[in-house]
Amino acid sequence: MKSIEEPPSYTANTVIIGRNSRGNWVAQELNGLFGGLFVNRAQAMKYALFENGHHPETIVLTADIIELDMHHRVTVLPETIGSIAIVRKAA
């Protein structure tokens, strides 16, 4: 019997980070798989990195108001594209 080695699958999830209407920081996976409310951006980032397997390239910061909703998929409206920044890890 021959053994076949497969590369590990890429399981990082895209996480949107922003503030809700009350000023709390929100981190939510794009498909609503996980999310939470935080008192500061640093804690939201720490949570997002932990939950998505430490892939900073899949974290998206937005200046728009986002509300934590664990029942529906997060939608990014076309007019908000200009206010979204992708987080890159410094070399």
Side-chain angles (χ1 to χ4, degrees):
M1 183 177 276
K2 188 175 181 180
S3 166
I4 299 175
E5 288 188 38
E6 294 182 2
S9 61
Y10 186 80
T11 60
N13 299 315
T14 301
V15 181
I16 307 295
I17 294 179
R19 288 184 175 231
N20 66 9
S21 59
R22 295 183 178 182
N24 298 313
W25 286 92
V26 174
Q28 184 167 0
E29 195 273 336
L30 194 61
N31 294 312
L33 296 175
F34 56 83
L37 293 174
F38 304 89
V39 295
N40 59 44
R41 187 177 78 163
Q43 290 300 313
M45 290 287 294
K46 183 177 178 181
Y47 170 79
L49 285 168
F50 175 78
E51 289 294 333
N52 79 356
H54 299 282
H55 293 280
E57 67 277 6
T58 64
I59 296 175
V60 177
L61 297 175
T62 182
D64 294 324
I65 292 175
I66 61 170
E67 300 294 336
L68 182 63
D69 183 359
M70 299 307 292
H71 300 290
H72 302 298
R73 183 172 187 232
V74 176
T75 57
V76 178
L77 302 175
E79 61 268 15
T80 66
I81 297 299
S83 64
I84 293 176
I86 303 216
V87 175
R88 301 276 182 212
K89 190 171 186 178

